[in-house]
């Protein structure tokens, strides 16, 4: 009976700079950068421990052009460990480490093979009767259906297709090397080792078409467990696909409904209780935590005006639970409790709420706010304003917060 196992990984993104994190906390950014490397080291350790037959990386070994050779030397050191354990490595270039993107190089062990970027190429492991087929990216963008040109399967071999692709689309990932599941099935291979999409997904079972996900989450959109897959093959068929979770730091979102809180201390107790139940076991990993406060609350003006103090209190609560929980962001989604608000002006009473409600939607004010936001972002380092919204909020959100703060400070609360 023929049996062997292999590791399928993708999207290592070694050298990811975490510039956005560095704006908030350089030490945390450095720890996340180290976690990216440590996750790969852990995967190499697991490969050696599991005595796998070979190791596939389906694109984006590197995050982009090297700032220096240190990241290349690190990768060489790790694959040399695999070389000494007689585990061959098969690499494919993706959009982040395409020929046109990464121009520096370090000589790797001879047991490391790289698929051609000009046309599909194949490698055979005759002792195992395994053939691997793939084509890497010559340019950062790849709009062609590369899979259609992959060669026919080698008769009598277990055939693996290696491809960096978005398939028919996996937002928010860019649409690279687009193809369908039927396109892949038409090649007649026994397993498709995909990369590019950072979420773990078994797209199909016959044959297995698999995204292992990336090794290490890099932002709040990449939360939860991260790693690679260990594939077991028996008599020419996939017997099992098991996840190997190797991430060394993790992103997490916790939403807390604070509508029942009548005071800020009560709100903080709700938050700490929610954190305790959601983040109580970090297993030694650094956790970048985003806390979203939701619900409608009369405390909204106090929350907005006391944001800085609230951030500090929630960070303190995090540390009471685990010293390695870092509050990446406090996301204030608390809505107001609508009611008439007025300011006494002698005998007249002015209802500010409808006036300000109309003002924050005034096109001239919105245009002025957007212009001011663009000016602020232009002065910040690259990537610091990237993410779900510039500075973490839309113009509409910022204007709504300004309205509620003005109402509170006017004594209309």
């Amino acid at each position: 009976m023929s049996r062997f196992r292999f590791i399928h990984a993708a999207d290592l993104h070694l050298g990811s700079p975490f510039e956005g994190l560095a704006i908030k906390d350089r030490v945390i950014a450095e720890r996340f950068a180290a976690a990216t490397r440590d996750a790969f080291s852990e995967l190499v350790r697991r490969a050696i421990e599991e005595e796998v037959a070979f190791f596939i990386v389906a694109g984006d070994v590197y995050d982009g052009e090297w700032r220096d050779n240190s990241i290349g030397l690190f990768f060489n050191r790790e694959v040399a460990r695999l070389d000494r354990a007689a585990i061959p490595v098969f690499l494919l270039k993706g959009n982040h480490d395409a020929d046109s993107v990464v121009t520096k190089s370090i000589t790797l062990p001879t047991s490391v093979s790289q698929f051609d970027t000009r046309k599909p190429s194949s490698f055979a492991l005759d002792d195992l009767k395994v053939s691997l087929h793939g084509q890497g990216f010559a340019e950062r963008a790849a709009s062609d259906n590369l899979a259609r040109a992959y060669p026919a399967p080698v008769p009598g071999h277990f055939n693996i297709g290696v491809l960096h692709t978005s398939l028919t689309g996996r937002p928010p990932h860019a649409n690279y090397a687009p193809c369908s599941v039927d396109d892949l099935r038409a090649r007649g291979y026994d397993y498709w080792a995909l990369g590019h999409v950072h979420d773990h997904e078994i797209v199909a079972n016959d044959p297995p078409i698999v995204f292992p996900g990336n090794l290490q989450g890099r932002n709040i959109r990449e939360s939860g467990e991260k790693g690679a897959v260990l594939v077991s093959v028996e008599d020419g068929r996939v017997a099992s696909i098991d996840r190997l979770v190797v991430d060394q730091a993790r992103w997490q979102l916790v939403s807390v409904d604070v509508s029942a809180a009548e005071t800020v201390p009560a709100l903080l107790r709700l938050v700490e209780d929610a954190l305790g139940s959601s983040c109580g076991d970090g297993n030694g990993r650094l956790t970048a935590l985003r806390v979203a406060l939701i619900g409608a609350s009369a405390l909204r003006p106090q929350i907005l005006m006391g944001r800085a103090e609230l951030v500090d209190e929630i960070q303190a609560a995090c540390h009471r639970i685990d010293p390695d929980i870092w509050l990446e962001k406090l996301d204030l989604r608390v809505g107001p409790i609508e009611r008439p608000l007025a300011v006494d002006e002698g005998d007249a009473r002015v209802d500010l709420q409808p006036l300000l409600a109309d003002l924050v939607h005034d096109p001239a004010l919105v245009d002025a706010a957007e212009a001011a936001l663009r000016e602020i972002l232009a002065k910040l380092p690259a990537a610091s304003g990237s993410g779900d919204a510039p500075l973490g909020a839309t113009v509409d959100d910022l204007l709504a917060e300004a309205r509620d703060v003005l109402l509170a400070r006017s004594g209309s609360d």
Side-chain angles (χ1 to χ4, degrees):
M1 180 179 290
S2 171
R3 293 181 178 178
F4 63 87
R5 291 183 296 175
F6 66 91
I7 280 180
H8 166 203
D11 301 285
L12 313 185
H13 289 280
L14 299 175
S16 186
F18 293 97
E19 290 175 343
L21 271 186
I23 299 301
K24 300 174 182 178
D25 191 314
R26 181 159 297 279
V27 172
I28 295 296
E30 289 172 354
R31 290 183 65 184
F32 263 88
T36 302
R37 297 188 295 272
D38 292 345
F40 184 58
S41 296
E42 173 62 13
L43 184 60
V44 168
R45 187 192 70 78
R46 296 288 296 275
I48 296 169
E49 180 183 80
E50 298 287 349
E51 299 181 337
V52 300
F54 54 93
F55 192 113
I56 300 170
V57 184
D60 288 353
V61 170
Y62 306 110
D63 192 61
E65 178 66 298
W66 307 349
R67 296 183 178 182
D68 53 48
N69 281 349
S70 62
I71 199 64
L73 289 169
F74 165 77
F75 185 67
N76 173 74
R77 185 191 77 189
E78 295 304 312
V79 294
R81 292 170 60 199
L82 295 172
D83 178 63
R84 290 191 293 273
I87 299 173
V89 178
F90 299 93
L91 305 179
L92 181 141
K93 290 192 172 185
N95 55 298
H96 277 265
D97 56 0
D99 282 341
S100 63
V101 175
V102 177
T103 61
K104 297 183 177 68
S105 65
I106 290 288
T107 301
L108 298 174
T110 56
S111 59
V112 177
S113 302
Q114 186 165 279
F115 293 99
D116 201 328
T117 59
R118 298 163 297 175
K119 63 184 186 304
S121 57
S122 301
F123 299 102
L125 295 170
D126 291 327
D127 56 332
L128 292 173
K129 293 188 176 182
V130 170
S131 289
L132 301 98
H133 317 280
Q135 180 178 349
F137 286 18
E139 303 290 335
R140 185 177 183 92
S143 57
D144 296 335
N145 185 336
L146 301 180
R148 287 179 179 169
Y150 276 36
V154 176
H157 277 210
F158 183 86
N159 288 267
I160 300 173
V162 185
L163 181 63
H164 201 74
T165 179
S166 56
L167 287 182
T168 52
R170 291 293 191 280
H173 300 284
N175 194 28
Y176 292 144
C179 60
S180 68
V181 168
D182 287 341
D183 289 330
L184 302 185
R185 284 185 173 138
R187 303 320 304 155
Y189 296 168
D190 301 290
Y191 181 90
W192 277 94
L194 305 186
H196 184 53
V197 173
H198 289 186
D199 291 326
H200 169 67
E201 181 182 358
I202 297 178
V203 180
N205 290 300
D206 186 22
I209 300 172
V210 180
F211 286 110
N214 56 341
L215 287 194
Q216 176 60 59
R218 300 182 303 151
N219 55 57
I220 194 63
R221 293 184 299 277
E222 298 178 357
S223 59
E225 296 180 339
K226 295 292 179 179
V229 293
L230 175 66
V231 183
S232 298
V233 177
E234 295 183 9
D235 291 333
R237 295 185 62 84
V238 172
S240 63
I241 302 172
D242 299 309
R243 287 198 77 187
L244 298 178
V245 176
V246 297
D247 58 328
Q248 304 296 299
R250 196 164 287 177
W251 298 77
Q252 186 171 353
L253 170 65
V254 175
S255 296
V256 185
D257 188 338
V258 298
S259 55
E262 296 182 356
T263 64
V264 171
L267 179 151
L268 289 170
R269 285 194 295 274
L270 285 175
V271 172
E272 187 158 0
D273 289 345
L275 298 185
S277 59
S278 302
C279 311
D281 185 10
N283 289 322
R285 291 181 180 89
L286 170 67
T287 300
L289 179 68
R290 181 172 296 190
V291 175
L293 304 187
I294 62 174
S297 174
L299 297 174
R300 175 177 162 87
Q302 293 171 256
I303 292 169
L304 295 175
M305 288 190 295
R307 181 196 294 263
E309 293 80 4
L310 198 57
V311 165
D312 289 343
E313 286 288 356
I314 294 176
Q315 179 62 83
C318 291
H319 285 164
R320 287 193 291 271
I321 296 166
D322 190 305
D324 269 334
I325 299 177
W326 174 67
L327 182 63
E328 177 261 347
K329 179 183 175 182
L330 177 61
D331 189 359
L332 300 181
R333 305 181 197 171
V334 179
I337 295 178
E338 300 293 344
R339 61 177 183 270
L341 296 171
V343 172
D344 218 349
E345 294 190 356
D347 294 332
R349 295 185 65 83
V350 179
D351 191 348
L352 289 181
Q353 186 162 299
L355 293 175
L356 291 178
D358 291 340
L359 183 60
V360 297
H361 297 297
D362 181 79
L365 180 61
V366 172
D367 288 346
E370 288 178 342
L373 187 59
R374 286 193 298 270
E375 184 176 346
I376 292 169
L377 291 174
K379 296 177 180 178
L380 293 176
S384 59
S386 64
D388 46 6
L391 302 185
T394 66
V395 168
D396 288 345
D397 291 337
L398 293 171
L399 288 174
E401 288 187 12
R403 172 201 62 198
D404 289 351
V405 170
L406 179 60
L407 287 170
R409 288 183 173 173
S410 72
S412 302
D413 183 27

